[in-house]
Amino acid sequence: MKITFCGAARQVTGSMHLLELESGYRVLIDCGLDYNQQKEFHRGAKVQFPFDPSSIDVVILTHAHVDHSGNIPTLVRQGFGGKIVCTPPTAELTRFLLLDSLKIMEMEMKRKEGNRRKGKKPNKLSSIYGYKDFEEAMDRLITLHFNKDFDLNSSLSVRFQEAGHILGAASVKITVDEKGKKTVFGFTGDLGNYGSKLMKDPTPFEGINYLISESTYGGRVHQAKRSPEEELLYYIERTCVRQPGRLVIPAFSVGRTQAIIYALHELYVQGRLPEIRYFVDSPLAIRTTDVYAKYGEYMNEESQRFLKQNGSLFEFEYMDYITDKRDSERLQDHYEPCVIISAAGMVEGGRIQEHVRNNIGNGYCTILIAGFCAEGTLGHRLLNGQGNIYMNGHDYPVFAQVHKTDAFSAHPDHYGLKRYIEESGGKSLKGIFLVHAEESSMMSLESDLALNGYENVHLPEKLEEFMII
Ligand SMILES: [Zn+2]
């Protein structure tokens, strides 16, 4: 048996791991888009899988985020003929996210084609996949609820359990029984933060031999001094009440936006939410919010109780959902204090780019980064405190305040990861593979684990193979 780490190895995006059985059966765990390569795809580059897509028997999808699901339609286009197993909410969210990803890709390519024509090179760019591939991929999805065993064949079964990251996010336990020898793998997918808004805590694995764990926040400790709702109130009061400013919050459409709306709703119910306008400006976030509202039972007890008492998690006075592009553009002329929540979270693409561009020179504006920003993204550059920001071909001086909050983090921090790893078997496991983090983060976690007597931790390089005997 063999595991190959095809993506998210010593980096955060592009999750993709290949498990090959002695029988030749091949399981791909996640098939995500690598954000470092995304710009190349917008220029017409093709996705090169390090295996023949037609040789893959099944894909296990841990959750809907594009860095875990974004290359599935391309895999289908290039010959994958099997099924894709995920939870029911993941199936619904993946449809929205992949469609959105395809639209962004087409828009970017049109923009690049236009630029090429000006430069007298009128080559037609073709995208990495089209609507037909997308629809075919969606037809291949089969759903599996948490805590149910599902036999993929006579020697391999899978079981999803709560990862706590976003709605429907699963960690997957894979049991292989070949020639009378049983081996059990635990792939965490992306884990959620302990005690987070909306989602339940991640469930550690029981009875596994090998753990493949995300380590996004290895070496970092969440610095939230206040609860999520107190944190929001603090920034709203500073930016929109004590002065006539605006608070712009870049937030991922899936997960972060809903947690923020829910926290605002709590403040509203408590009678503490300042009477200003709150805009959610992201069609994708709005569609996603409907899916969250539909799957109330996937959320933690506190959210379920709130839902019962108030009839809704995400609908309340002062909250405006904006879908129309023109209404989004009109927000620029909204001179009253307001809060704008928009995607994408790393400020790469989506309507948030317009809001950042329109407000970056406004000394009365605060941009509150509420999630992880990978190196090289605009969100990351804003956080580095640059005096000028280059975007869309222009330099913009930065007069807006830029702050970061960990209160809404959708990943465990260093201590959360250690706790999870320990509770999943820790030192007694045959092997622990750290993935899904920048190198420095996984090295911090590895060295701390080593100090605690762990001798079984590996940091796989991209495409590194491990034989499991
Ligand atoms: Zn994720």
Side-chain angles (χ1 to χ4, degrees), residues 24-230:
Y25 194 84
R26 296 179 127 198
V27 185
L28 193 65
I29 297 100
D30 287 335
C31 188
L33 195 66
D34 181 337
Y35 288 175
N36 294 329
Q37 291 175 353
Q38 198 174 18
K39 287 192 176 99
E40 297 304 315
F41 300 147
H42 292 163
R43 289 189 197 104
K46 293 278 159 274
V47 176
Q48 308 271 355
F49 291 104
F51 45 77
D52 174 5
S54 68
S55 72
I56 302 296
D57 292 285
V58 68
V59 173
I60 310 281
L61 176 60
T62 60
H63 66 288
H65 278 153
V66 171
D67 62 323
H68 293 254
S69 67
N71 273 339
I72 288 177
T74 314
L75 192 77
V76 169
R77 172 176 254 190
Q78 295 191 20
F80 168 64
K83 297 283 186 201
I84 301 146
V85 189
C86 62
T87 64
T90 296
E92 291 198 36
L93 293 172
T94 300
R95 167 169 278 279
F96 291 140
L97 277 168
L98 290 184
L99 199 55
D100 187 67
S101 178
L102 179 55
K103 280 185 187 152
I104 291 173
M105 192 159 49
E106 286 188 340
M107 246 161 50
E108 282 294 317
M109 294 185 104
K110 262 195 196 129
R111 204 164 58 84
K112 297 232 159 61
E113 269 180 31
N115 291 345
R116 280 187 175 200
R117 266 187 220 112
K118 277 181 221 152
K120 296 191 177 107
K121 275 192 207 159
N123 310 7
K124 175 116 181 71
L125 297 172
S126 62
S127 54
I128 50 176
Y129 64 87
Y131 285 92
K132 191 172 155 283
D133 311 304
F134 160 76
E135 286 299 347
E136 202 178 327
M138 293 303 99
D139 287 346
R140 305 275 187 82
L141 294 176
I142 53 171
T143 58
L144 174 65
H145 288 277
F146 285 140
N147 307 319
K148 300 252 183 283
D149 291 311
F150 180 62
D151 292 337
L152 286 172
N153 65 25
S154 58
S155 59
L156 190 143
S157 77
V158 294
R159 185 183 175 94
F160 286 143
Q161 60 185 50
E162 181 68 58
H165 172 61
I166 59 165
L167 188 76
S171 299
V172 57
K173 188 173 178 179
I174 300 184
T175 305
V176 181
D177 200 339
E178 279 194 318
K179 295 175 189 156
K181 188 174 180 285
K182 201 163 117 178
T183 311
V184 188
F185 299 90
F187 289 84
T188 62
D190 284 3
L191 296 170
N193 194 14
Y194 289 91
S196 71
K197 281 267 147 210
L198 293 175
M199 302 320 301
K200 295 173 183 167
D201 282 349
T203 307
F205 286 109
E206 276 177 27
I208 57 169
N209 308 116
Y210 294 92
L211 177 67
I212 296 83
S213 177
E214 72 117 310
S215 45
T216 317
Y217 280 123
R220 283 195 263 177
V221 180
H222 290 329
Q223 299 288 348
K225 295 182 207 87
R226 295 168 277 265
S227 67
E229 54 279 16
E230 296 304 330

Side-chain angles (χ1 to χ4, degrees), residues 6 166 286 324:
C6 304
I166 59 165
I286 294 165
D324 193 280

